[in-house]
Amino acid sequence: MNYLYWLILGIILGTILLYNVSSKGKKDSEKRMLSIGLIVAAGLYPGFAIIWGNGTWVLVELAGIPIFGSFVWLANRCSYNWLAIGWGSHTAWDGLIHLFGPGRVIAPEWYVVTCISFDLILAGYILFSDK
């Protein structure tokens, strides 16, 4: 599979999201939307497991929600950088579990590759944005 197209799609989608959340001009609103986005990103994988009818993987994927929710909590309590770390670490969830690991039978390959570049765009933006 040629990953380039899917990587580019993730960059485009991430850029569109960032344009929409940052154009509002309110950092609190931006932080809230990017926090919700991380929870949604984690919450999509259980949906794939449900579609495939794999109960074990539903439980594995549901574990991602509190894991990535903890980054949101830390971002709200400590530093916005925790949200960047959450988005960045979500790429490991995508790649190590779903692209190269045992979860590759759960999520479509094109989605996982798109998600990796999407996550990295958001993590980079948060890390290097004017907080």
Side-chain angles (χ1 to χ4, degrees):
M1 173 180 208
N2 188 344
Y3 292 155
L4 183 61
Y5 301 116
W6 304 118
L7 290 170
I8 291 171
L9 179 61
I11 291 167
I12 291 169
L13 293 173
T15 302
I16 290 169
L17 175 65
L18 289 173
Y19 174 78
N20 284 312
V21 301
S22 66
S23 66
K24 308 244 185 287
K26 297 179 182 176
K27 280 294 176 188
D28 287 342
S29 174
E30 177 181 299
K31 186 177 181 180
R32 185 173 37 258
M33 293 306 296
L34 293 174
S35 295
I36 292 168
L38 182 57
I39 302 300
V40 169
L44 290 173
Y45 282 108
F48 289 126
I50 291 168
I51 289 169
W52 286 105
N54 189 322
T56 301
W57 272 99
V58 170
L59 295 176
V60 170
E61 303 296 0
L62 283 172
I65 296 170
I67 290 169
F68 294 103
S70 67
F71 290 107
V72 170
W73 184 83
L74 287 167
N76 287 310
R77 296 283 186 229
C78 301
S79 168
Y80 192 36
N81 287 333
W82 281 106
L83 196 57
I85 295 167
W87 278 107
S89 64
H90 194 259
T91 63
W93 188 269
D94 299 325
L96 296 176
I97 295 175
H98 297 99
L99 188 58
F100 301 113
R104 66 184 171 278
V105 298
I106 298 301
E109 190 175 33
W110 67 266
Y111 174 82
V112 175
V113 173
T114 301
C115 196
I116 289 170
S117 58
F118 180 88
D119 295 350
L120 288 174
I121 287 291
L122 297 183
Y125 171 82
I126 294 165
L127 192 59
F128 296 108
S129 69
D130 179 26
K131 298 168 196 81

